[in-house]
Every structure is written in structure tokens, then in C-alpha cells.
Amino acid sequence: MDAGAEATPVKVSARDLDVFYGATQALHGITLDARANRVTALIGPSGCGKSTFLRSINRMNDLIAGMRRQGTILLDGRDIHDPDVDVVDLRRRVGMVFQRSNPFPKSIYENVAYGPRIHGVSDRTTLDEIVRTTLEQAALWDEVKDRLGASALSLSGGQQQRLCIARALAVEPEVLLMDEPASALDPLATARIEELIHELKERYTILIVTHNMQQAARVSDTTAYFYMGRLVEMGPTAQIFTNPSKQETEDYITGRFG
Amino acid sequence: MSSRIPGRPAGAWKGHAFVALCGAAAAIIVAMLAVILFDVVRSGWAGLGWQFLVSAPSEGMRGGGVGPAIFGTFALVLLMTIAVVPLGVLTAVYLFEYARPDSGFARAVNLAVSNLAGVPSIVFGLFGLGFFVRFVGGGIDRVFHGGELAWGKPSILWAALTLALLTLPVVIVTTGEALRAVPVAAREASFALGATKWQTISRVVLPQSLAGILTGAILAVSRGAGEVAPIMFTGAAYFLPKLPSRLTDQFMELGYHVYVLSTQSPDIEATKPILYSTVLVLLFLTFLLNATAIAIRARFRAALRPQDA
Ligand SMILES: Nc1ncnc2c1ncn2[C@@H]1O[C@H](COP(=O)(O)OP(=O)(O)OP(=O)(O)O)[C@@H](O)[C@H]1O
Ligand SMILES: [Mg+2]
């Protein structure tokens, strides 16, 4: 494992976060810190609240009718629910890559340019530059540079997911939320995304949900194990995978779980 | 071997009879359509020609063609489209994107839309006469023209607006369907990049609904193009020596022309060949519009089909 141990500043911090969907409580008092330039992996069985937690950080859950929240999330020490926090600005700073790749039915170029455009960039050379650099960052440039005008839907699944990563990077976020970004991909495409995560963490704070234990072990510095809406255990990935302090965590990681 | 379940259900013949009945019903419909088409084509084909399509009626409707009626139909439908598409799309966007579905206002609009669709078209005609011609037009004349008659009479504008009202539900319903068909994932992708609701609707949702909106517009046009009752009191004319050139002019129209030829002309027998040719033109236009709608729908569906990863 690389330099996961030495502490960088806390970028995202949840404090006693409860989330309810109607009457059901999806998260129970989550307190969790994600450090800058580190990859934090969220693992746990299906339905334990990983996506809910992720979607709380960029307030995507606000769009769900009947969602209720208690507790806070701090971004750089500031409460993201402060009345003077602009949710549009928050979502620009906290990018998201979804479990199922969801490119717009527009050209490859327009997919990447979408974010900068809505935030007021209209100069063509600037847009060209953003499109090129973010596609390079997402390791897709060489495959698409000759057909930027082609429909994004003509790309393969793995390429589409990298396009979605490029699209998220194009608004220069500080935090990147990735909800099972490789779950629909073959091993080769998955390996590329994991490589990408390694490179991206030099510039971003990354939180990634994954069901793949090897993947969590490979890409993350810190791992958090969720179970039934609670944070059971969190610590350096190496320690969680070799010497977890809770029996439940060990059962889940070793596959002895349910 | 003493199974209590017989191998063949006793009432099997009922199923077969039902299938036969359904088949017969379908056959009757096809047969009727075929008879109508055959009759119209047989009697109307001979009269069709370039001259018929461009020239005006003559000899007390026994000669000439339907040129002014075709022109009037296109002008009417164009004006109607200009009115109904923005109004219908805006209403649908409000209803399906902004209004809370359980709010009193949204329910009232929904109720109005579904009831509007069931109102007989002659009622629209009377409403158009009372509201657009008398009330709005008459009002304009009183306020701006010192009571002189300019807007307060039947005209292509009032007829187009009356038709727009009649076809409004079609546009609202098809646009609504198109809006709902835009996947949540596409909206979320936009919001997650920091887009506002308006940006998401204008740059993601509406472009993806374009096919549905276009289909709705064309269905509205093909519905409106054949209606006679709504324009009868609001602007259609029996015969005009001139093509309409202003919004306040009256106009000739194909559907209304059919009505005139078949009931109002001095010598109905003598106008029959022309009547059939006119019906043929009207049917052809309507079929053409429907076919266009279907083609557009199919093309956009194929283009927007989500590719699976
Ligand atoms: N929109 C919603 N409305 C109601 N309940 C929801 C909604 N989204 C999630 N839930 C519930 O909240 C709980 C947590 O769901 P969440 O999607 O966060 O789980 P997850 O850990 O991401 O699961 P998975 O690994 O299957 O993606 C589940 O019990 C789920 O049924
Ligand atoms: Mg999930």
C-alpha cells in the first residue's frame, strides 16, 4: 500500500448523519472523515446505505421526495447544508460518477463540454482545451480524438464510463464520488478505471463504493464497512483487510457473510 | 389413470369462438376502410390533375379545382401549429416538470385537458365564435377601432386559435409522455454536474423529448386539418375570389369545401366528381401527415435507444 498512512487534511466529514426515506431510516449516525488526495472505499452488503451516503455528500438525495436528514456533512470544514451554500456550486465541487454509465445522447465532445457550458464557459478554444485535457485524464483521448463529434452512445460500455468520468472532471471538482464505477465492466476495462483512480487521487479526494473486495484493497487507502445503515468499522485499508477489529467486518471480507 | 382433470377443457370452443369474433371485427374494419378508399379513389381519381390542385372552383362549383382550399388549409394549419405547439409544450413542461402532481392547480389543469379532449368539435366552433370572434375580436374593435368592424368577424386567425384549442390536449399528452420517457439517469447526470433545473430541462430533457413533441405537433395537425365544425363559424368561407393575405381575412379549407360541395352547392349531382377528388386530396394529406409522424417517432426512438454497457 502506498502513502495511505500519513495524514492529509480532512476534506469531507460526516457528523452523526441520519437519512430517512419516508418512514425507513437508511443511515444511522454516520460519522466518517475522508481525507484529501486519498481514496476512501465504502464496502458492505447490498442495501446497507453506501449509495445513500455518497448521494448525501453532493446533496443528490435532496431530489428524492420524502427524504429527510439529520446531522451534518462538512466540506473543508463548512456545513454543506448552510443556507448560504449554493447547491449548484456544491455539486460543481463534488463530482459524481454513477453505477450505470449515463452519457447524454449527444456527441462525445458535447458530453464533456456540458458541465463547463452550464457554468458559463462559452469560448471555443477554452472548451476544446477542457475537452482534450479531461479526456486525457480519463485515459480516453487516444481512443476518441478522431471522432469527438460521434454520438457518445456509439462507445463501448467501458469507454462510456470513462467518458462519464471525463464529464465529471470537466467542471474541476475537488471531490469525486464514484458509485460502483466498474460494476458493469469487463476485467480489462475495470483495470483501466482502477489505474485511472490511482492517477486521479493526486488531484482529487475520492470516495468509491465497490462490491469487489479485491478492488477495494487495490485502489483505496481507507476502507469503511457499512452494515444496515451503520458504519461498523473504518481504518487503513491494509489493516481492515488483514486485521479487522470487528468480527462482522472479517466475516464480510472473507466471504463468510450471510 | 383416473385423473380428475380432463385432458381437454370442456369450454375450449369458447376460446376459439372468441378468437373468431375478434378476427371478424378486425376484418370488418379493414373491409370498411378498403371500401371507402376504393370508392373515393375510383370516383375521384379521374378528376385529379395538376390543374385541379391549383385552380379555383368555377361554374358554381361544378368546375375548376381546389387550389384556394389547399392553400387555406395549409395556412390555417400553420397558424394553428404556431399557436398550439408552444402553448401545449409549455403547459406540459409545467405540469410534468414543475407542478407537484398532487397540487390543486395541477389537478385542475389535468382535468381540463382530459375533458377538453372529449368535447364535441361543434362546441369548439361555437366557443370560438363566442369567445374569439365576438369577445376578443369585438373587444379589439371597440378599444382600438372605435367600433369599426376589423377583428370582430370570422377570420383565419380566430379559426386557427379555435383549432389550436381543439388540438391542445393532443400536444400536451404526447409531450407529457415524451418528458416522462426521459430517463432519471439523464436528469441526475445533469444535476450532478451542478446544472439548475431550468438548464436540465432546456438542455437535456427537452432535446431528448423532441421526437415526442414533433409527433404531437403532427398528430395535432392531422387532427386539425380534417375538422370542419370548429372553423365553420369562425372563419371558413364558402367561396372567395382571393387568397387570404391577412390574419383578418376569411379562407377556404378542404374539409369545409367537402361539406359545401356535398350539401350546399346548387347542383349536388353535378359536383360529385369534384367532391370525390377533393375528398381524395384531403385523405391523402391526412395519411401523409400520420405517416410522417410515425416515421419521425420510429427514427428518434431508434436514435435515443439507451445503449447498454
Ligand atoms: N429513493 C429511495 N426511496 C426509498 N428508499 C430508498 C431509496 N433509495 C434507497 N432506499 C433504501 O435505503 C436503503 C439503502 O439503500 P442504498 O441504495 O443506499 O444501498 P446500497 O448500499 O447502495 O446498496 P447497493 O449495494 O445494492 O447499491 C435500502 O434499504 C433502500 O431500500
Ligand atoms: Mg448502491
Side-chain angles (χ1 to χ4, degrees), chain A residues 55 88 100 106 114 118-119, chain B residues 190 193-194 199 203 308:
Chain A
R55 293 167 56 94
V88 161
R100 290 176 62 94
K106 302 174 186 280
Y114 182 86
I118 60 173
H119 292 291
Chain B
S190 174
L193 289 165
Q199 287 170 329
R203 296 176 190 228
D308 261 311

Side-chain angles (χ1 to χ4, degrees), chain A residues 55 60 63 88 91 94 96 98 100-102 104-106 114 117-119 153 157 160 167-168 171 184, chain B residues 185-196 199-200 203-204 207-208 303-309:
Chain A
R55 293 167 56 94
M60 283 301 281
L63 301 170
V88 161
R91 290 185 188 142
V94 182
M96 183 161 213
F98 296 81
R100 290 176 62 94
S101 64
N102 54 356
F104 299 122
K106 302 174 186 280
Y114 182 86
R117 275 194 209 278
I118 60 173
H119 292 291
L153 301 181
Q160 286 188 17
R167 185 177 64 184
V171 293
Chain B
R187 299 163 191 265
E188 285 196 330
S190 174
F191 283 125
L193 289 165
T196 61
Q199 287 170 329
T200 302
R203 296 176 190 228
V204 174
Q208 287 198 44
L304 288 181
R305 192 161 299 140
Q307 227 89 352
D308 261 311

Side-chain angles (χ1 to χ4, degrees), chain B residues 146-163:
Chain B
E148 193 184 320
L149 199 65
W151 295 87
K153 61 186 178 52
S155 70
I156 193 164
L157 175 65
W158 302 140
L161 291 184
T162 307
L163 268 191

Side-chain angles (χ1 to χ4, degrees), chain A residues 208-224:
Chain A
I208 180 172
V209 169
T210 177
H211 277 293
N212 180 330
M213 292 307 112
Q214 286 82 22
Q215 183 170 69
R218 280 192 301 264
V219 303
S220 72
D221 305 297
T222 306
T223 298

Side-chain angles (χ1 to χ4, degrees), chain A residues 47 50-52 99 179-180 209 211:
Chain A
K50 307 178 296 291
S51 298
T52 301
Q99 177 170 1
D179 196 346
E180 302 183 47
V209 169
H211 277 293

Side-chain angles (χ1 to χ4, degrees), chain B residues 242-263:
Chain B
K242 256 187 350 130
L243 294 179
S245 59
R246 282 169 311 191
L247 290 178
T248 50
D249 286 345
Q250 285 194 277
F251 61 101
M252 295 178 70
E253 198 262 357
L254 277 172
Y256 186 68
H257 197 60
V258 168
Y259 167 75
V260 166
L261 289 174
S262 55
T263 61

